[in-house]
Amino acid sequence: MNYGNLWEILTNSKLVETLGWTLLHSVWQISLIALILFLVLRVLHRFSANARYLVSVFALASALVLPIVTFVVLGGNSTTNFFRAETIVAPENVQFNPHFQPPENAPLPATAETGLAQGNGKGVLASIESLQNFFDKNFADILPPVVGLWFFGVAFFALRMTGGVWQLHLYKTRAVSAPEAEWRERFAALCEKLEIRRKVKFLRSDLIRTPIVIGWLKPVILVPASVFLQISPKELETVIAHELVHVRRWDALVNFAQSLVEVLFFHHPCVWWISAVVRREREFATDEAVVKIMENSHIVYASALANLEEIRLVTNQKLPPFSTAAVKGGNLMQRITKILQKNTGTNGKANSAWSAGLALMLISAFFLAIFSFNQPTFVNAQTKTKNRRLAIGFVSIPPVDRTANAPKDSDATARLLIEILKARKVPAIGFVQGSMIADIEKLPVYPAVETARLNPVRANIVRLWRDAGLEVGVGGFKHLWFYDTPYENYVANTDENLLVVKQILAEKNLSPRYFSYPYLNTGRTAEDRNRFESWLGSRGLSPDKYTIDNQEWMYSYAYDAARNDNDVNTMREIRESFVAYMTKMFEHYEAYSQEIFGRDIPQTMVLTTSRLVTDSAEELFGMIEKRGYQYVSMEEALSDEAYRTEEKFFGKAGISWFERWQMAKGKKLRAEPDVDAAVQKLWNESRSKAK
């Protein structure tokens, strides 16, 4: 192939020339449209967002139509073939006479100079023609490279857009399921309220982290499975209404069309600005519709948007540019401000002040979220200014099925939990219950020497925990109440467990550092506890102090019972109830922290290595992270001076150290959140049968 001839054909191509001139003309044309839009928006700043949105869409459409018209006009000026160079050939019968003289009164050929001399009107036309000739002479040669670069750019952005379309297809078809019947009913009611006659699918997704609507012919609204637990039902209703408004307005189609415009005019900054204005005003208009349709919902809706934005930033999920989502498009700070300024009640000054104050708080929270996004800890809208830390202790290793005498699926549960902790970067500490993995034997020597005979499978679970970089601590060989156990027996029980733990840790030249009181019970008297903790110190151990106590073990019992019966629906209900309960417990103990210390001290939480905790880990740890916690080691948490606060509690109960400190100050204890009634009933029935 002769590439020189090909280049000559392209450079002389009428199509390339016309397209090149169209691209060059589009520079000033779209810039002019953007300037007009800017001025019009200034005039319409007090009008509805929907009016500004329509004007912005018209401007973007003009930015597409005007270059198309230019292309057609430029191409229609010649009847020659687009792919053939235009030439001028003199007729054969015309001969050139060098001695030809024009008549005396014949007009001279038109030139720029003579045109100027003949009058201002003709002079202006001549100037324009001269300017056009100047551009033809100086810019004609660069048109082919300009068109070539434009083609490459369009191909790149079109490929990116195709990838986004495929990504949305995956969201719509993979890891989706139908929501609960209750939410399907709420969704149907919202569709009826918004007078949506089209068929809209409503699905729960495990892939996305913020609600989105996909498609315009067969729209699908996807809500992340975790969001059903992370925000309140009322907040979620407003978010779903937001997506339904997008469906009703055919916003997904407009959004896709503007993405096509961005592909064609990727080179023009004004196109991107106009497109951004369209997306911003579209979200403002949608917000206005939601607040109008959902009566007295402006505060709930603003809170929902703030929470969803936080979830999106925490998960760092990026959606395709042409997807439609509640927290995508528009300045969220401005959106929250506008939503809270909607007066759904009286027009009194008190209500305005309340909305303004709440707007200021949410806006401040949003700014702090954005600025702290690249920090190690990202915190939620309620705790933006706080550096919360959490250490977690697990009792016991290995996992146990609370409905059976022997552990069930201990190895599988342990492996799943360990992988979750590693993925979440949780430096958890696990406390061994020796009776579950070993028998203590006395060797027939004098003096008698005790040794641990390890169960190979269960002891290996402790090794898995250890080899994952998680710390191993000492509990009781048997899970005994210190209050009900004589001091000497309690020490012997702990010593036997220490023997088991040391035997496993010694394989890696490690030693245990922490002891966890079974049932959080520290004994009958101050003398017993002081003696015991002195004994711990002589063995290189420090006692653990838990600030976040909870009744997770009750939920775990109910969960294990449902799991043994293969009752999937009950298992799901228990997981949801458990995470809701733990959310209340965190609120409960955070209030203690503020009341006692006036700050968020590093918290320490006790859990069991149960199947419930493992199966609900994503929701549980997601809730914890949403509250602004960074996971730290037990050593770091206990080094805070708060843990040196004096407490004098002794009794049969095992209670949180917050409650101990509160009692030491002579203050009334806070009412603790209740365990779910069904879970409590099942646990009580199991205790009755045991008796």
Side-chain angles (χ1 to χ4, degrees):
M1 176 181 291
N2 192 329
Y3 292 100
N5 291 340
L6 177 61
W7 174 254
E8 184 177 354
I9 292 173
L10 290 176
T11 55
N12 293 327
S13 168
K14 183 64 178 177
L15 175 62
V16 172
E17 179 185 355
T18 303
L19 186 56
W21 282 116
T22 300
L23 293 174
L24 291 180
H25 280 299
S26 71
V27 174
W28 68 266
Q29 290 172 340
I30 297 177
S31 297
L32 181 61
I33 292 172
L35 176 61
I36 294 173
L37 176 62
F38 175 79
L39 297 175
V40 171
L41 290 177
R42 295 293 296 269
V43 174
L44 299 179
H45 74 283
R46 294 186 180 276
F47 284 66
S48 69
N50 193 59
R52 296 193 302 273
Y53 172 62
L54 293 176
V55 169
S56 303
V57 170
F58 179 78
L60 190 63
S62 301
L64 173 65
V65 171
L66 193 55
I68 292 177
V69 172
T70 301
F71 179 83
V72 172
V73 170
L74 291 177
N77 286 339
S78 174
T79 58
T80 57
N81 191 296
F82 271 130
F83 296 95
R84 181 179 301 170
E86 189 174 12
T87 58
I88 300 176
V89 181
E92 294 181 357
N93 58 348
V94 177
Q95 295 184 354
F96 175 69
N97 184 0
H99 303 290
F100 173 76
Q101 293 290 334
E104 292 184 2
N105 297 327
L108 293 175
T111 63
E113 290 77 5
T114 57
L116 288 172
Q118 291 174 3
N120 290 337
K122 293 183 179 180
V124 172
L125 293 176
S127 298
I128 294 175
E129 182 179 355
S130 176
L131 183 63
Q132 181 176 342
N133 292 334
F134 171 80
F135 278 105
D136 286 339
K137 180 179 179 180
N138 292 278
F139 288 95
D141 293 339
I142 70 170
L143 294 181
V146 167
V147 173
L149 291 174
W150 177 79
F151 267 116
F152 279 116
V154 169
F156 171 78
F157 282 92
L159 183 63
R160 189 184 73 158
M161 183 176 175
T162 302
V165 171
W166 178 248
Q167 183 179 352
L168 290 180
H169 173 74
L170 295 181
Y171 286 158
K172 188 168 61 174
T173 57
R174 295 187 180 180
V176 295
S177 59
E180 298 176 357
E182 177 187 354
W183 274 108
R184 293 199 298 271
E185 292 175 1
R186 290 190 182 190
F187 182 78
L190 284 173
C191 288
E192 184 177 354
K193 189 172 186 177
L194 271 67
E195 299 180 349
I196 295 178
R197 305 292 178 234
R198 303 162 61 196
K199 183 179 179 181
V200 183
K201 283 188 178 180
F202 177 44
L203 298 174
R204 176 165 52 185
S205 171
D206 294 326
L207 293 181
I208 61 173
R209 293 294 176 264
T210 186
I212 60 173
V213 57
I214 299 175
W216 60 86
L217 293 177
K218 297 179 179 180
V220 177
I221 292 178
L222 297 179
V223 176
S226 57
V227 167
F228 284 95
L229 294 175
Q230 289 176 308
I231 66 177
S232 70
K234 289 185 178 180
E235 290 179 348
L236 185 53
E237 274 193 341
T238 62
V239 173
I240 295 174
H242 177 103
E243 304 302 342
L244 286 173
V245 170
H246 279 311
V247 172
R248 188 178 69 177
R249 293 159 50 94
W250 294 82
D251 285 338
L253 177 60
V254 177
N255 202 19
F256 184 78
Q258 72 182 95
S259 296
L260 290 176
V261 176
E262 291 171 349
V263 169
L264 293 174
F265 298 101
F266 68 91
H267 59 281
H268 206 307
C270 289
V271 167
W272 294 99
W273 176 78
I274 296 172
S275 188
V277 170
V278 170
R279 289 192 170 94
R280 183 189 68 199
E281 297 299 338
R282 175 166 57 232
E283 295 306 320
F284 285 151
T286 307
D287 292 340
E288 284 184 356
V290 171
V291 174
K292 183 178 180 180
I293 295 168
M294 308 291 288
E295 297 178 357
N296 300 321
S297 64
H298 57 299
I299 295 177
V300 174
Y301 183 41
S303 177
L305 291 180
N307 288 332
L308 285 178
E309 176 68 358
E310 174 195 341
I311 293 169
R312 185 187 69 81
L313 292 176
V314 169
T315 56
N316 195 27
Q317 184 176 50
K318 295 182 179 180
L319 296 173
F322 49 85
S323 61
T324 308
V327 293
K328 185 176 182 296
N331 186 303
L332 189 60
M333 181 196 70
Q334 292 180 0
R335 289 175 61 190
I336 291 175
T337 303
K338 289 179 178 293
I339 291 167
L340 291 175
Q341 286 175 347
K342 299 299 176 184
N343 197 345
T344 57
T346 63
N347 294 321
K349 294 182 179 180
N351 190 48
S352 299
W354 161 249
S355 295
L358 188 56
L360 179 61
M361 288 190 292
L362 284 174
I363 291 167
S364 300
F366 175 74
F367 262 128
L368 288 170
I370 297 300
F371 287 130
S372 63
F373 176 50
N374 290 323
Q375 300 301 320
T377 302
F378 182 85
V379 293
N380 71 354
Q382 289 79 27
T383 57
K384 293 294 188 295
T385 61
K386 302 176 183 178
N387 179 25
R388 287 178 166 174
R389 291 171 287 169
L390 175 68
I392 304 177
F394 283 90
V395 293
S396 60
I397 305 176
V400 61
D401 179 352
R402 293 187 174 275
T403 64
N405 293 324
K408 176 186 177 182
D409 297 340
S410 293
D411 186 75
T413 300
R415 289 177 184 272
L416 287 171
L417 181 59
I418 288 170
E419 289 304 313
I420 291 168
L421 295 175
K422 288 168 58 179
R424 296 274 182 174
K425 298 181 180 180
V426 182
I429 178 170
F431 295 93
V432 175
Q433 184 176 336
S435 62
M436 297 174 60
I437 65 172
D439 294 323
I440 300 297
E441 297 180 321
K442 288 188 177 182
L443 298 180
V445 297
Y446 183 82
V449 177
E450 291 183 338
T451 184
R453 184 178 63 185
L454 302 178
N455 178 297
V457 176
R458 298 177 193 169
N460 190 56
I461 293 176
V462 181
R463 294 189 179 96
L464 289 173
W465 188 279
R466 175 201 67 192
D467 295 342
L470 302 171
E471 189 163 3
V472 177
V474 179
F477 186 77
K478 295 181 180 179
H479 217 53
L480 302 178
W481 286 90
F482 196 0
Y483 183 89
D484 294 332
T485 307
Y487 172 78
E488 291 76 11
N489 294 353
Y490 195 80
V491 169
N493 182 64
T494 307
D495 203 20
E496 289 179 344
N497 204 43
L498 182 60
L499 177 66
V500 175
V501 175
K502 279 188 172 182
Q503 185 170 325
I504 296 175
L505 292 185
E507 297 169 358
K508 296 291 185 179
N509 296 319
L510 299 172
S511 298
R513 299 190 300 162
Y514 290 100
F515 169 80
S516 180
Y517 282 104
Y519 304 107
L520 275 64
N521 181 260
T522 53
R524 186 183 294 267
T525 65
E527 180 183 0
D528 282 350
R529 189 176 73 174
N530 292 338
R531 287 176 61 196
F532 177 68
E533 293 189 355
S534 178
W535 178 86
L536 288 176
S538 68
R539 267 65 176 175
L541 298 173
S542 300
D544 227 343
K545 300 177 180 180
Y546 294 110
T547 56
I548 300 181
D549 185 20
N550 54 83
Q551 312 301 317
E552 170 256 310
W553 42 273
M554 282 192 187
Y555 286 89
S556 290
Y557 175 84
Y559 190 76
D560 289 339
R563 187 164 176 259
N564 290 337
D565 293 337
N566 294 320
D567 189 345
V568 178
N569 290 330
T570 300
M571 291 168 61
R572 175 179 49 78
E573 292 173 0
I574 292 173
R575 289 197 302 268
E576 294 175 354
S577 178
F578 168 62
V579 174
Y581 164 77
M582 290 300 294
T583 302
K584 295 176 183 177
M585 293 303 288
F586 268 85
E587 294 171 351
H588 174 70
Y589 288 115
E590 287 163 1
Y592 266 129
S593 182
Q594 291 295 328
E595 181 177 351
I596 298 174
F597 299 104
R599 63 185 176 93
D600 283 315
I601 72 167
Q603 301 271 20
T604 54
M605 177 174 64
V606 59
L607 293 172
T608 68
T609 51
S610 66
R611 190 62 180 223
L612 170 62
V613 172
T614 303
D615 289 351
S616 61
E618 181 179 354
E619 292 78 13
L620 175 62
F621 288 120
M623 177 273 293
I624 292 171
E625 291 158 7
K626 179 183 177 183
R627 303 191 72 82
Y629 284 94
Q630 177 185 3
Y631 304 112
V632 297
S633 66
M634 193 65 68
E635 179 181 19
E636 180 177 341
L638 295 179
S639 65
D640 191 276
E641 61 181 0
Y643 287 89
R644 294 189 288 274
T645 303
E646 184 180 7
E647 55 94 1
K648 302 176 181 178
F649 173 78
F650 302 100
K652 188 173 179 63
I655 60 176
S656 159
W657 260 254
F658 272 137
E659 294 169 318
R660 295 166 183 259
W661 295 325
Q662 186 82 336
M663 293 169 66
K665 293 178 177 293
K667 294 184 178 181
K668 184 179 179 181
L669 296 181
R670 291 176 171 270
E672 187 171 308
D674 294 328
V675 174
D676 183 83
V679 171
Q680 181 75 57
K681 180 181 178 181
L682 187 61
W683 174 258
N684 292 338
E685 290 174 352
S686 71
R687 295 303 91 196
S688 299
K689 293 178 181 178
K691 294 179 181 179

